[in-house]
């Protein structure tokens, strides 16, 4: 289950907000355009799919970079250690 902070990071990635807890009432919009409680609550249902999409894109980008470099993931780990 997603946390309120994670949902806000998805919905308002530029920041400008502070949250205490996981409830809409705990959000303070400092430098961000406020979202509605309905948008926040809907974000919990959307988060898992969004996160899976982000993780898949990161893995794909990593594989593409390794392919361009002509090295394996294990070889990259050796270079970075």
């Amino acid at each position: 289950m997603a946390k309120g902070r994670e949902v806000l990071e998805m919905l308002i990635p530029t920041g400008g907000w502070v949250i205490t807890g996981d409830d809409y009432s705990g959000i303070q919009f400092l430098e961000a355009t406020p979202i509605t409680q309905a948008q926040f609550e809907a974000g919990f249902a959307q988060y898992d799919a969004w996160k899976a999409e982000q993780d898949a894109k990161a893995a794909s980008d990593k594989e593409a970079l390794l392919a361009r470099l002509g090295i394996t993931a294990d070889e990259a780990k050796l270079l970075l250690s």
Side-chain angles (χ1 to χ4, degrees):
M1 179 80 178
K3 298 192 181 326
R5 175 189 53 79
E6 295 169 326
V7 171
L8 283 174
E9 287 172 351
M10 174 189 71
L11 295 173
I12 311 172
T14 56
W17 48 264
V18 175
I19 186 169
T20 303
D22 289 324
D23 298 322
Y24 183 80
S25 62
I27 304 172
Q28 293 179 12
F29 297 99
L30 305 173
E31 296 177 4
T33 302
I35 59 172
T36 65
Q37 184 171 354
Q39 289 171 313
F40 179 69
E41 291 172 0
F44 283 92
Q46 301 164 353
Y47 180 80
D48 289 336
W50 175 83
K51 180 68 172 148
E53 183 181 304
Q54 297 301 308
D55 291 346
K57 183 179 180 333
S60 175
D61 290 349
K62 178 181 174 181
E63 289 300 319
L65 177 59
L66 291 172
R68 281 199 323 263
L69 293 173
I71 61 174
T72 66
D74 290 334
E75 291 169 331
K77 287 178 188 175
L78 286 173
L79 290 172
L80 296 174
S81 61

